[in-house]
């Protein structure tokens, strides 16, 4: 019973990463298919896969099509309740679900100002007030979760909420964004995870750099731990 997953370029597609991580971390069989965001065939590829205009897209073993990362996560949590995708503790589970929903709908300033880019880091990025406000909210929610669970991930073991915030951790590292020491330790744990390392290595091996993600800033090596 294998799923099919359509994703964009690994170096840049934050939503593709969110859709891919739960399969890999939780050992759910999946066949990965690639398309190129900004490529001439992108919309045709997505439509042929059964999607609309975005990636990721998942085909379930029984033929259903999931066209949003949030629906992919909810489906997997229901289909694999014994894999630890969500915390067992009811309060932690509710908080994790809320954090996922907040990420799906919010933090627009951070997302717009700091596109995910695993090919490079940027020097001298100065966050504006809106980005700092997003970071303050993220820092508070991460800090509370880590304090309650003891880490190393938000609710102990790596779960759906960590998959959903992995691109945020990549942004924090790549733009050297101001966060607390506790959150910086969580970022290091995320970037050290074998699945994140695999995703980046595959991206470096197969993805061309996209001009759309270039910043008018000096480049630095991406700070993988």
């Amino acid at each position: 019973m294998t799923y099919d997953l359509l994703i964009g370029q690994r170096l840049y597609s934050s939503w593709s990463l969110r859709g891919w991580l739960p399969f890999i971390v939780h050992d759910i069989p999946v066949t990965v298919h690639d398309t190129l965001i900004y490529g001439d065939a992108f919309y045709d590829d997505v439509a042929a896969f059964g999607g609309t205009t975005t990636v990721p897209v998942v085909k379930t073993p029984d033929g259903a099509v999931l066209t949003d990362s949030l629906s992919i996560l909810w489906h997997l949590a229901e289909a694999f309740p014994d894999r630890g995708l969500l915390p067992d503790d009811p309060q932690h589970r509710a908080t994790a679900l809320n954090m996922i929903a907040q990420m799906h709908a919010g933090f627009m300033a951070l997302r717009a100002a700091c596109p995910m880019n695993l090919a490079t880091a940027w020097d001298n990025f100065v966050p504006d007030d809106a980005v700092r406000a997003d970071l303050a909210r993220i820092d508070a929610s991460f800090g509370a979760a880590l304090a309650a669970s003891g880490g190393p991930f938000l609710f102990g073991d790596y779960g759906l909420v960590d998959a959903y915030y992995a691109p945020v951790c990549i942004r924090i590292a790549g733009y050297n964004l101001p966060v607390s020491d506790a959150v910086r330790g969580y970022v290091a744990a995320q970037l050290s995870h074998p699945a994140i390392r695999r995703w980046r290595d595959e991206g470096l091996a197969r993805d061309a750099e996209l001009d759309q993600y270039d910043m008018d800033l000096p480049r630095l090596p991406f700070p993988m731990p």
Side-chain angles (χ1 to χ4, degrees):
M1 299 290 284
T2 300
Y3 288 78
D4 287 280
L5 168 68
L6 180 67
I7 61 171
Q9 291 95 315
R10 290 160 177 79
L11 296 180
Y12 304 105
S13 182
S14 59
W15 294 105
S16 293
L17 175 57
R18 292 181 175 103
W20 178 87
L21 277 169
F23 290 98
I24 305 308
V25 173
H26 298 282
D27 197 27
I28 299 169
V30 64
T31 299
V32 178
H33 307 262
D34 293 277
T35 186
L36 298 177
I37 299 169
Y38 302 110
D40 292 340
F42 175 72
Y43 292 111
D44 290 340
D45 289 345
V46 174
F49 207 79
T52 53
T53 60
T54 60
V55 287
V57 185
V58 161
K59 292 180 184 177
T60 70
D62 60 6
V65 179
L66 308 172
T67 63
D68 186 275
S69 59
L70 194 58
S71 63
I72 294 167
L73 266 62
W74 289 171
H75 166 83
L76 294 177
E78 290 185 350
F80 299 94
D82 59 339
R83 299 288 179 95
L85 281 81
L86 291 169
D88 291 331
D89 179 88
Q91 185 175 354
H92 288 179
R93 178 180 290 244
T95 302
L97 292 172
N98 189 61
M99 290 176 69
I100 291 170
Q102 286 179 322
M103 180 66 250
H104 191 265
F107 306 118
M108 297 300 187
L110 173 64
R111 289 157 58 181
C114 304
M116 189 182 91
N117 188 338
L118 278 163
T120 189
W122 303 104
D123 199 13
N124 298 328
F125 177 80
V126 179
D128 63 19
D129 289 345
V131 172
R132 288 183 180 275
D134 279 352
L135 289 170
R137 289 179 57 206
I138 290 166
D139 204 303
S141 63
F142 282 12
L146 292 166
S149 71
F153 299 105
L154 290 175
F155 294 94
D157 294 329
Y158 202 101
L160 294 181
V161 66
D162 300 292
Y164 230 64
Y165 280 92
V168 170
C169 294
I170 291 166
R171 288 173 163 98
I172 290 170
Y175 294 84
N176 193 26
L177 299 176
V179 293
S180 65
D181 289 344
V183 171
R184 200 158 296 281
Y186 171 64
V187 170
Q190 278 268 21
L191 297 182
S192 298
H193 196 285
I196 299 292
R197 290 185 176 277
R198 172 180 166 184
W199 175 267
R200 182 172 185 263
D201 288 345
E202 291 179 357
L204 291 172
R206 69 176 65 206
D207 293 344
E209 288 203 46
L210 293 177
D211 293 341
Q212 292 90 339
Y213 290 81
D214 199 17
M215 305 286 287
D216 187 20
L217 292 168
R219 289 175 176 250
L220 296 169
F222 190 87
M224 293 295 287

